Amino acid sequence: MFRHFSKQEARNLVFLAVPVFLGQIAQIAMSFVDTVVAGRAGAVDMAAVAVATSFWIPGTMFGQGLIMAITPLVAQSLGAGNRMESRHFLRQGLWLAAAISLLLMAVFLVISKTITLWGTMDALLAKKTSEYLFAVLWGVPALMLFVVQRCFLEGHGRTRPAMVAGFVGLALNVPLNIIFVFGKFGLPAMGAAGCGVATAILFWFMAASMTFFVRRTDRPALAAEKASAAVLKRIVRIGLPGAFAMLNETAAFALIALIVSPLGVTPVAGHQIAINVSAFVWMCPFSIGSAATIRVGTLLGAGDVEGSKRARLTALTITLIMACVLAVLIYLVRHPVSALYTEDQAVIQMASLLLICEVFYQFPDGVQTNTLCALRGWNDTRAIFCISFIAYWVVSLPLGWVLCMTDWMTEKPLGVLGFWVALIVGLSVAAVLYLLRIHKLEHLSVDAMKKKIGR
């Protein structure tokens, strides 16, 4: 692996990855602001935002997963010197974004209108959840428009615009939340619904910002174009397995939270802290992986299979170095970080124990994240879906349940710790399978490679 490391390629990857990382920071910070401001309005408002997010996130992540196919397609077109084709992917992506938006808005509208009738939660909580969903759903078209244009620009190797839009959006998030949640400038105090209104407005602003950057990068790309069944079918064929792969992971973690919920407050709270830390740390390998998608796609478009392998292995080397640093850092600060979330010593001890698992989790997670992102550069999303299904639903969840709830493999049930051990095992299986898959692809001839990415 190290003999393929390239300093120039490392510079290319870091140049692309740093804005992605900072953009992710901005998005997490916006979610944090929503939670804090809603919490200031009241516990019910904060809970309503959390409940609504459990509907909102999976739906929008699925839509984004579909659209993400545009990044490697654009990169491949530009690598091949075909700028006109790259423009078609943006224009057809806008049609796809419109269709996804209508579908998601309809789903969120139905949930918002019926959740108060389900009878499964407190009436006031259901009402505020409904109001938040109804407010935020009007931002769905803007979010999908933002993602399409972000993917188009990332295909050009331009990752900074999304970062800039994210941080400007973050700067506006605080005042907009305060205005609509607490009612300023003569507006009524809306509570949780105000967070939804602020979020929807921010999405439209961020979409407009990305339109500005697209016009500066390739103005003709935004010209009107009729929907093309062939191009849309290609985007969906590549994007759909990737979208379902994202659902595999999202649904698996949601199910783990449900399974461990009867174990009591301490293990559930400790698990939630460890998950939050994990999500934050994961941005590091994800950022390098996103850069790898762009570089691999561009080099494959240029017919350089060996160059794509060099980019992938350079990204993997950087990821493993980061995993070593992060593992040591997590081990050293596990107690102070846990204490940031709570003063309950039992919860701190539980979270600290699970964060030791996070130390070992870094390595298989880094390898599998990096390699699946490289596979996106190959348009090989079906393999990503199949392997992610095996990792989470065939290995991690069944093994986690056995370790958590039974003494079949251990002297006594491990509780929530069992699921973290199982996740490490499942991600290790995924890492091996992803590596085997990309090893096979990297031994294709140039003609076979072009046939593969041209489907």
Side-chain angles (χ1 to χ4, degrees), residues 13-44:
L13 289 164
V14 171
F15 177 80
L16 294 169
V18 170
V20 174
F21 176 78
L22 294 175
Q24 291 292 314
I25 291 285
Q27 289 189 25
I28 288 180
M30 281 190 274
S31 177
F32 176 75
V33 168
D34 286 351
T35 302
V36 170
V37 174
R40 296 287 183 181
V44 178

Side-chain angles (χ1 to χ4, degrees), residues 312-395:
R312 195 262 303 177
L313 289 174
T314 300
L316 183 57
T317 303
I318 296 171
T319 299
L320 289 175
I321 293 171
M322 285 196 307
C324 292
V325 174
L326 291 170
V328 172
L329 187 62
I330 291 168
Y331 182 79
L332 293 176
V333 304
R334 65 190 188 282
H335 290 291
V337 166
S338 301
L340 291 175
Y341 288 85
T342 180
E343 296 179 354
D344 189 316
Q345 289 302 312
V347 174
I348 291 173
Q349 291 301 317
M350 175 59 72
S352 298
L353 173 62
L354 298 180
L355 286 176
I356 291 178
C357 292
E358 178 71 17
V359 169
F360 298 97
Y361 182 96
Q362 290 306 303
F363 297 95
D365 190 40
V367 173
Q368 70 98 23
T369 298
N370 178 267
T371 312
L372 76 86
C373 285
L375 285 170
R376 287 186 185 277
W378 280 87
N379 299 344
D380 201 38
T381 51
R382 289 186 182 180
I384 294 173
F385 167 72
C386 293
I387 293 172
S388 69
F389 182 84
I390 292 169
Y392 289 107
W393 293 91
V394 178
V395 178

